[in-house]
Amino acid sequence: MKTHQIFCLFVILCHILTVTSTFRYIADENITISCGSSGISTADDERDWIGDIGSKFAPTEEPNHKSNTSGAEIQGTPNAVPYMTARLSNWQFTYVFPVTPGPKFVRLYFYSASYSGFERSKDFFTVKVGSFTLLANFSASILANSSDHSDISKEFCINVDKSQKLNLTFIPFSSNYYAFINGIEIVSMPEDLYYRPHSVANGEELVPVYVGQAPQFYINDSMALEMVYRLNVGGGSISPKEDTGMFRQWSDGTDYLLSEGVNPRLVSMTLNYLYIPNYTAPDAVYLSAISMGPNSTRNLISNLTWGLPVDTGFNYLVRLHFCEIDPNISIPGVRRFTIYIDYQQADEAADVVLWTDSNYRPYFKDYVVMIRNKGESMHLLSIDLNPIDSDLCDAILNGVEVFKLSDQYGNLAGPNMVPPPLDQEPALAANESKTKKAIFIAIGIGLGIIVVLTLVCCMVLCKLKKTRRFGCCHPLAKWWCRSRLDPYKREFSRRTASSLPGELCRYFRLDEIKTACNNFDEDLIIGVGGFGNVYKGLIEQGNMMVAIKRMKQESRQGVREFLTEIEMLSQLRHVHLVSLIGYCNDGGEMILVYEYMANGTLRHHLYDTLNDPLTWKQRLQICIGAARGLHYLHTCTKHPIIHRDVKTTNILLDEKWVSKVSDFGLSKMGLDNTAVSTLVKGTWGYLDPDYARRQQLTEKSDVYSFGVVMFEVLCARKALNLKLQEEQRNLASWAQKCIDKGTISQIIDPYLTNKIASECLKVYMELAESCVRDHGIERPTMNDVMEKLEFAFELQENAEVEATKDTDLEEVSLFRVATANGAPWLESTSGTDLSTISTGLSYPSLDFVTTISITSQD
Ligand SMILES: *[C@@H]1O[C@H](CO)[C@@H](O)[C@H](O)[C@H]1NC(C)=O
Ligand SMILES: *[C@@H]1O[C@H](CO)[C@@H](O)[C@H](O)[C@H]1NC(C)=O
Ligand SMILES: *[C@@H]1O[C@H](CO)[C@@H](O)[C@H](O)[C@H]1NC(C)=O
Ligand SMILES: *[C@@H]1O[C@H](CO)[C@@H](O)[C@H](O)[C@H]1NC(C)=O
Ligand SMILES: *[C@@H]1O[C@H](CO)[C@@H](O)[C@H](O)[C@H]1NC(C)=O
Ligand SMILES: *[C@@H]1O[C@H](CO)[C@@H](O)[C@H](O)[C@H]1NC(C)=O
Ligand SMILES: *[C@@H]1O[C@H](CO)[C@@H](O)[C@H](O)[C@H]1NC(C)=O
Ligand SMILES: *[C@@H]1O[C@H](CO)[C@@H](O)[C@H](O)[C@H]1NC(C)=O
Ligand SMILES: *[C@@H]1O[C@H](CO)[C@@H](O)[C@H](O)[C@H]1NC(C)=O
Ligand SMILES: *[C@@H]1O[C@H](CO)[C@@H](O)[C@H](O)[C@H]1NC(C)=O
């Protein structure tokens, strides 16, 4: 099947799913308040929101301290209702909701903006319900700044006792600060949805397993829950309207899937809710799943892993949704797997059919796990499924919900922090699966996009000719300049639609795009990401190779935003930035066209790859190029452009090994706008700890990530590797430790042994170490980084010239292999001809590598 057929199938399927089955629970309470407005306004999803002005829901305030109301100009995608109006005050105010007893969802909607009379950044406040603290020292502007979304929503579950009212109080930090709220939603839920254990047919109760602790954990009425993740595994996001009557938002979970080569499945079947209530989750959650793929050998020695960043110091309820959707698996014992949560065994032998007696019967399992605060405020909560040797060595997961449980003080508030998505590799799973291709799943953001290049705004370069070094000397730029003069081509590139400046960025019609990539031929996919697929394509009558990035439906943004972003991107031109050739927004598509980068990502030349290793000088030059690109971003406009996601998969290499930074400025494109609205851009493992702590994004956050890249280049290992011992998982902190202990030589890429001049290594390591210093202020600027790297390159070059001279005189020194003491990798090659190991150059002083230590300056 071709991609478009699958796509149609998917659309039809979704249609069937939404039109038919999903059961809807009728909530007793279903209150939607649009704060700061009056009358009734209808949201995009056709729900009516009641204005609080003059209604029975108007808040109570302190005498003489009336709250204010204000409107906000909504930018981008969020729904106008309830985000466009707010209630604000420098003093405490309380909404009182007379509700029936029982558990309720309380959803809060914030839109961070400059409201008249209030300074945007002075919004520090606490939100309480009765005795629970939902948010403390909360600042929507901080979250908004770090996540690229001004709209923030939070969902809590609270149990209301008999004769109690639901009082929702907003308390500013002090009278110099203000509290605000745009929308409040209260929806009741069935008692056994999250609070009471549900009893299955045989009388057994589904009480959460307390992982690594007492056998069970009862969720008390006296606890409040905060929803942190709600993922539809293997399927796309599900809007509140499509939920089972409780208006829950289900997100696409691919950003958190860490395994590669997985097998997503989506089926259309009638489900049989025999063991769990039919309102537990929408059918679509159970009808899609991820499993591991056909290679049993591989499956047995690997885990299907998800990683979910969470605040530390709380218990978490982890609900895993299961449903066997393979028509061939209807008896127990076929698909069995062990479940680990947070690296602890939670279920020794999970067997979905054993639990449900048949396939197509939804089920869920609850686990509670304690995430202790060991000094770090963020923690990566992992879910690992490991197949047990049985008929089918595989595991399956359909959905995940994670809730934070209030502590003994009724507190749910963590620091003002937003979890970054994880680093993921492209996974072209379907190629592996024998069953003719399910649906390509996009894994990760960022990715191995092999993309890129330039042109477009070359016109500007041609005119300005100011960039002496790069400008029109670039062959592609020349090509572009020539093609601008060719009348046929000019006609060809004329925009047919849209409102973008055509001089800056070429407009492609959808049919041109389709011709270029053979109608989105699966075989032409060269990268897969959270945003969609990247295809290789040919334009200009087959004369020019390009990379075509097609946004998938869920990650598409508003057309206006898309065009604004393109306009910005097409103005950034630099030889070390991957630049845009054109775009297409015909037929509801959002497509970007980049020059094809022949050598792919830097990451794919470093490790877990069949590519030949890069020489040290190549690596230095790649780093220098990337540093130049970032330096340009930081300095090209009045306000620095912060990349926010510097990593080895965002550094691409052209056919001449020139490195170019990609994925800048795509701040909003890669993110699932409908997902938990507080995703930060950045990647776990590369993320500046100072940024996480202080929420202030500066150029130094890119410098930190670049330092991690430098270590990755030197050591040829992942920035974050969950398979290693805790101490070694994070490359930046492990490398720093090794530098302190003087054992860094043990983690340097074995291929580089004897190939780095000691002076060069010293400069390089000092530089990398200074980039990853804890505090931004102690880190160098990108300009410093660039200069130091160039210096390191010179040192290397000089040393190589020297070494060549030496060897002319005395060939013996070529084979002087430093080590055996500190380089375990050499042991495996002992016995082989040494000359095959050190084909490169050897430095007499290299022994120093094993003893080098760098003292940090503080
Ligand atoms: C859902 O379950 C309720 C009772 O548990 C039942 O009355 C209702 O018919 C079910 N609805 C569907 C669509 O299965
Ligand atoms: C919620 O309230 C709206 C009115 O605002 C009503 O149209 C809708 O049917 C209600 N939904 C549920 C599930 O109770
Ligand atoms: C808020 O409203 C009060 C009157 O209700 C007014 O005196 C005050 O100036 C307003 N504050 C702001 C910041 O607009
Ligand atoms: C958020 O960003 C804006 C401009 O980018 C800045 O003026 C503001 O101070 C930032 N707010 C916070 C709380 O950092
Ligand atoms: C509130 O949060 C800000 C920013 O995260 C932090 O600087 C400040 O110390 C916090 N205040 C309290 C009282 O926790
Ligand atoms: C809620 O607020 C009302 C009115 O302000 C007050 O009478 C009531 O005691 C409060 N209830 C709780 C549980 O705090
Ligand atoms: C609340 O939970 C604790 C332990 O989690 C338990 O000991 C206690 O009995 C529970 N209280 C109620 C009212 O269920
Ligand atoms: C299955 O995986 C194993 C271990 O990773 C690998 O050695 C083998 O080549 C794979 N088999 C196939 C058919 O891909
Ligand atoms: C089920 O088994 C049959 C026969 O073994 C096979 O042809 C078919 O492809 C299988 N279906 C799936 C979905 O694996
Ligand atoms: C699977 O995950 C568990 C728990 O995190 C871990 O102990 C185990 O080593 C992992 N297995 C593999 C093959 O990675």
Side-chain angles (χ1 to χ4, degrees), residues 265 267 325-329 360 435:
R265 286 189 67 96
V267 300
I325 51 174
D326 189 321
N328 289 348
I329 303 181
Y360 306 119
T435 48

Side-chain angles (χ1 to χ4, degrees), residues 77 553 555-559 561-562 565 590 668-669 673:
T77 45
Q553 208 110 33
S555 61
R556 283 178 205 159
Q557 51 192 332
V559 172
E561 260 191 314
F562 179 70
E565 198 117 7
M590 289 189 184
K668 286 162 194 140
M669 294 188 179
N673 283 328

Side-chain angles (χ1 to χ4, degrees), residues 688-733:
D688 172 10
D690 205 22
Y691 165 44
R693 223 176 2 246
R694 298 193 308 136
Q695 309 297 322
Q696 248 133 30
L697 191 66
T698 68
E699 303 94 292
K700 296 297 181 72
S701 303
D702 283 350
V703 173
Y704 180 92
S705 312
F706 191 80
V708 178
V709 167
M710 285 178 67
F711 280 124
E712 215 177 323
V713 163
L714 180 66
C715 306
R717 57 193 266 177
K718 282 188 176 177
L720 183 76
N721 186 346
L722 296 177
K723 295 202 174 119
L724 297 175
Q725 290 168 286
E726 192 153 354
E727 179 184 48
Q728 304 188 10
R729 273 184 206 145
N730 182 304
L731 175 59
S733 53

